[in-house]
């Protein structure tokens, strides 16, 4: 029954997206208004980092870091790039003639080969750690990259992997193998014998004193040391998360699920104080959150319940749920806010069937329902909203 609810909900939600496939992916030249820094998409994300990668095979693009303060926004911290240097020449990864590019949230896994550049074949598998229903692991500010160098069919060779960063803020870039800094670039020397296979771990970590991970670590370097020490655990937890992403049996819809769910991941904020804000942009709106927090409903059920509980805690004395919370924004008679919170609660119960949780909220739920009923001024069975407000009216050329 649980799986049936999940599939029905996903099919309904993502059928809407199927109707309007992102034009940025299909016809990027026609979207002059789209920020060019976003081209290619961001298939790597957790609660702390959102990472852009390009369909041409280059790694990486811009990196956004979530802020540890409510009311803030994702911060573009700059970019990171990886190149190959051999024989005095520098090659971008897009220069390789044979590439297999796989950008499928939560991973990017690309393979590269070009005998004119290297006799070895390269594989880069990159991700930010995610773990089912575990906010601490999913909030680690980290970009993890496994680099596989396969020289089983080549000759002995030496080359460098060069990582360039223009990131602003406190970050730490490291490798589990030999490396050195030259001209503000991390240089990883590689010497691989004929028939040999090597694996390296490249790691970028960040630090925000207001972020949840600041409860455990005092710097990006401390975070880096910890992640290197449990690399295998985080790899397996992320793999389990990947396999737990629901499927509908429709390939196109399943592909959209992974692309669109990154927003719900990227905009989940967990602060050092223990506050949590699931996708609500800079605040929590029940309408928007109902459609975007299916990610938390299925994969982070404790976070979803926290947000439902917190929403009821902000109920006005008359039973009205504020238009937005964290911070409070109120429009006094918008009916859908109360209705979407009730639907969100019913959706949670339909999947998890936890009557004890429901009993805790039931008195407040009744008050929320009574407020909606009180708006039936004409006793027709239809509640009324007197004022009219739509966020689309903020768009140029749309008047009140």
């Amino acid at each position: 029954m649980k799986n049936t609810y999940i599939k029905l909900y996903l099919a309904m939600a993502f059928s809407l997206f199927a109707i309007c496939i992102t034009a940025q992916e299909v016809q990027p030249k026609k979207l002059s208004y789209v920020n060019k820094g976003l081209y290619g998409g961001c298939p790597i994300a957790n609660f702390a980092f959102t990472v852009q990668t390009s369909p041409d095979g280059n790694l990486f693009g811009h990196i956004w870091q979530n802020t540890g303060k409510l009311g803030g926004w994702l911060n573009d911290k700059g970019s990171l790039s990886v190149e190959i240097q051999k024989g005095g020449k520098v090659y971008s990864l897009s220069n390789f003639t044979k590439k297999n590019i796989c950008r499928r949230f939560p991973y990017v896994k690309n393979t590269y080969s070009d005998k004119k550049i290297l006799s070895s074949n390269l594989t880069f598998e990159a991700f930010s750690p995610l773990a089912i229903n575990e906010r601490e692991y999913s909030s680690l500010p980290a970009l993890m990259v496994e680099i596989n160098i396969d020289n089983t069919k080549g000759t002995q060779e030496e080359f460098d992997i060069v990582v360039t960063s223009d990131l602003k803020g406190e970050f730490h870039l490291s490798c589990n193998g030999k490396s050195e800094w030259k001209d503000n670039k991390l240089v990883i020397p590689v010497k691989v014998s004929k028939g040999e296979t090597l694996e390296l771990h490249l790691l970028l970590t960040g630090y925000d004193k207001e972020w949840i991970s600041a409860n455990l670590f005092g710097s990006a370097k401390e975070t880096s040391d910890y992640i290197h020490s449990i690399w295998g655990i985080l790899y397996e937890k992320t793999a389990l998360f990947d396999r737990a992403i629901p499927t509908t049996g429709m390939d196109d819809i399943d592909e959209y699920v992974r692309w669109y769910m990154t927003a719900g991941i990227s905009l989940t904020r967990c602060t050092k104080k223990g506050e949590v804000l699931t996708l609500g942009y800079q605040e929590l709106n029940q309408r928007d959150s109902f459609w975007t927090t299916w990610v938390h409903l299925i994969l982070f059920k404790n976070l979803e319940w926290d947000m439902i509980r917190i929403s009821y805690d902000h109920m006005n004395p008359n039973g009205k749920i504020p238009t937005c919370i964290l911070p409070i924004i109120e429009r006094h008679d918008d009916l859908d806010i109360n209705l979407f919170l009730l639907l969100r609660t019913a959706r949670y119960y339909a999947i998890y069937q936890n009557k004890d949780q429901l009993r805790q909220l039931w008195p407040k739920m009744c008050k929320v329902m009574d407020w909606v009923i009180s708006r039936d001024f004409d006793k027709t069975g239809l509640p009324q909203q007197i004022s009219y407000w739509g966020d689309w009216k903020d768009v140029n050329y749309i008047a009140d």
Side-chain angles (χ1 to χ4, degrees):
M1 180 64 71
K2 174 181 174 180
N3 289 336
T4 300
Y5 277 117
I6 293 171
K7 290 183 177 181
L8 285 173
Y9 180 73
L10 288 178
M12 175 179 65
F14 285 94
S15 290
L16 298 175
F17 291 125
I19 296 171
C20 49
I21 301 173
T22 309
Q24 180 179 339
E25 292 288 328
V26 179
Q27 297 176 327
K29 292 183 179 179
K30 294 184 179 180
L31 284 177
S32 59
Y33 58 85
V34 174
N35 183 343
K36 291 183 179 180
L38 294 174
Y39 282 160
C42 302
I44 300 173
N46 70 356
F47 296 163
F49 278 2
T50 299
V51 183
Q52 175 197 28
T53 68
S54 169
D56 66 7
N58 280 331
L59 298 174
F60 294 88
H62 286 258
I63 296 177
W64 288 264
Q65 186 175 16
N66 214 339
T67 176
K69 294 182 179 180
L70 298 180
W73 189 244
L74 299 180
N75 295 323
D76 186 349
K77 292 296 188 176
S79 60
L80 195 72
S81 64
V82 179
E83 297 172 310
I84 303 300
Q85 181 173 295
K86 183 181 180 182
K89 295 183 178 180
V90 178
Y91 304 92
S92 66
L93 294 175
S94 62
N95 290 149
F96 283 73
T97 55
K98 295 182 179 180
K99 301 181 289 289
N100 182 35
I101 310 302
C102 182
R103 302 179 306 141
R104 184 176 171 83
F105 174 81
Y107 295 106
V108 167
K109 186 173 183 179
N110 298 345
T111 58
Y112 307 87
S113 64
D114 190 332
K115 298 308 177 187
K116 293 182 179 180
I117 300 177
L118 295 177
S119 63
S120 300
N121 297 326
L122 303 178
T123 300
F124 287 78
E125 184 174 19
F127 62 97
S128 290
L130 287 162
I132 300 169
N133 210 31
E134 295 188 67
R135 75 178 73 183
E136 288 78 11
Y137 283 134
S138 301
S139 300
L140 287 171
L143 170 62
M144 303 171 65
V145 188
E146 291 200 355
I147 307 172
N148 183 273
I149 303 152
D150 183 357
N151 196 32
T152 53
K153 296 183 179 179
T155 58
Q156 179 174 311
E157 65 179 342
E158 297 183 26
F159 60 93
D160 293 331
I161 299 172
V162 182
V163 187
T164 304
S165 166
D166 66 2
L167 295 169
K168 299 173 180 63
E170 184 177 343
F171 292 92
H172 186 76
L173 188 61
S174 62
C175 178
N176 67 332
K178 181 181 177 181
S179 63
E180 58 182 333
W181 286 92
K182 291 182 180 180
D183 301 323
N184 293 320
K185 298 179 180 181
L186 182 67
V187 179
I188 305 169
V190 176
K191 182 177 181 180
V192 57
S193 302
K194 179 180 180 180
E196 187 178 9
T197 299
L198 300 177
E199 182 177 287
L200 298 170
H201 294 167
L202 175 66
L203 176 62
L204 174 73
T205 54
Y207 184 75
D208 177 350
K209 65 180 182 180
E210 305 293 340
W211 190 247
I212 183 175
S213 57
N215 288 316
L216 299 174
F217 310 109
S219 67
K221 174 64 165 58
E222 286 185 16
T223 308
S224 178
D225 291 343
Y226 173 73
I227 291 176
H228 274 301
S229 71
I230 62 163
W231 189 284
I233 294 173
L234 294 177
Y235 185 93
E236 181 58 28
K237 285 184 177 292
T238 306
L240 290 172
F241 182 95
D242 174 52
R243 294 196 290 270
I245 294 175
T247 59
T248 64
M250 295 175 279
D251 291 343
D252 287 347
I253 299 297
D254 291 343
E255 185 71 14
Y256 303 149
V257 166
R258 290 178 181 262
W259 276 106
Y260 284 101
M261 71 184 289
T262 58
I265 296 295
S266 298
L267 292 174
T268 295
R269 185 162 302 150
C270 301
T271 74
K272 184 178 181 180
K273 297 178 182 179
E275 300 160 318
V276 58
L277 175 60
T278 55
L279 193 148
Y281 310 101
Q282 297 186 55
E283 67 279 327
L284 181 76
N285 174 280
Q286 298 301 330
R287 179 200 314 111
D288 297 339
S289 293
F290 177 82
W291 293 107
T292 55
T293 57
W294 67 266
V295 176
H296 310 86
L297 174 71
I298 305 304
L299 298 170
F300 299 99
K301 67 176 184 178
N302 290 346
L303 286 182
E304 174 66 357
W305 185 254
D306 282 348
M307 291 312 305
I308 291 173
R309 178 181 51 78
I310 289 170
S311 296
Y312 283 104
D313 287 345
H314 282 80
M315 178 182 67
N316 291 322
N318 65 353
K320 170 70 169 66
I321 299 297
T323 304
C324 296
I325 64 173
L326 306 174
I328 296 291
I329 300 173
E330 183 59 281
R331 297 196 174 90
H332 303 295
D333 72 340
D334 39 4
L335 299 172
D336 59 342
I337 299 301
N338 276 38
L339 294 172
F340 271 115
L341 179 56
L342 291 168
L343 287 171
R344 189 173 180 180
T345 310
R347 180 180 66 177
Y348 187 96
Y349 178 74
I351 290 178
Y352 294 110
Q353 299 287 310
N354 190 324
K355 291 184 179 180
D356 289 336
Q357 286 182 314
L358 196 64
R359 288 191 185 98
Q360 293 171 16
L361 293 181
W362 186 248
K364 292 181 179 178
M365 290 177 65
C366 289
K367 200 162 187 177
V368 169
M369 288 184 270
D370 287 340
W371 182 86
V372 175
I373 295 170
S374 73
R375 305 298 298 180
D376 179 13
F377 302 123
D378 299 332
K379 306 304 178 183
T380 62
L382 292 175
Q384 297 180 35
Q385 180 169 323
I386 304 303
S387 67
Y388 175 70
W389 184 90
D391 52 7
W392 55 85
K393 294 199 294 180
D394 296 340
V395 178
N396 290 338
Y397 315 116
I398 301 297
D400 286 344

